[in-house]
Amino acid sequence: MTKIENILRVDASGRKSGSISRKLASHTVDQLAANGAVQVHNRDLSEGLPFVDESWIGANFTPADKRTDDQKTKLAFSDSLVDELETANTLVISTPIYNFGIPAALKAWIDLVARAGLTFKYTESGPVGLLEGKRAIILLASGGTPMGSEIDYATPYLRHALKFIGITDVTFLAADGLGQDADKKIESALKAIEELD
């Protein structure tokens, strides 16, 4: 029986038309599909996400068996995002760098999936991620922030946030510094994607 790779694709760009990060993600999914059977679930963060607020925090920190119906409803969307992550073998995140960091929508998504008891747990030696055995491929696009530079706050944050929930096999590929030689840098990123297995 052919093993199916479950891919969760998360797009964070506010742009749909002409988005370089989305183009890189599409190329990545195509490359993974060329290597075997895949099933892709798409989560487009530009369609809107709720932000964590007081009632969400109250519901989240109430033991599951003691939550009211309203609290369960408040957490339902977050629960569905966690289910998507748990089902996936591979996480493909496409994101631009906005003002040296990640878009607010991607931060909101992380806030909604970093759930004690679901995606990480507290231990005597500190928090431990629960989503082990998955890999993440992060596709970045930026106009003037080079990946790995001292003004890049996106990649170290994403690496740490994913490690926090147990995902340590993380690959970053970027079309960065697109303010100059954009076509050449995009082509280079596409070629790097074609080397993924």
Side-chain angles (χ1 to χ4, degrees), residues 96-117:
I97 295 180
Y98 287 165
N99 303 311
F100 318 109
I102 62 172
L106 184 52
K107 176 60 167 65
W109 180 80
I110 291 169
D111 289 343
L112 291 170
V113 300
R115 299 268 304 275

Side-chain angles (χ1 to χ4, degrees), residues 17-88:
S17 176
S19 167
I20 301 303
S21 60
R22 289 176 188 267
K23 179 177 182 177
L24 298 179
S26 293
H27 200 62
T28 299
V29 171
D30 289 345
Q31 175 66 22
L32 297 175
N35 294 331
V38 301
Q39 183 172 348
V40 182
H41 182 81
N42 296 295
R43 174 60 64 184
D44 190 343
L45 304 185
S46 73
E47 296 173 358
L49 288 169
F51 289 116
V52 167
D53 59 15
E54 185 172 9
S55 61
W56 188 95
I57 293 169
N60 187 47
F61 285 97
T62 298
D65 60 348
K66 295 183 179 179
R67 288 175 186 148
T68 66
D69 288 342
D70 285 345
Q71 287 178 320
K72 292 174 184 176
T73 298
K74 187 69 177 180
L75 293 176
F77 182 66
S78 172
D79 291 340
S80 70
L81 296 180
V82 171
D83 288 343
E84 292 172 359
L85 259 179
E86 289 177 337
T87 301

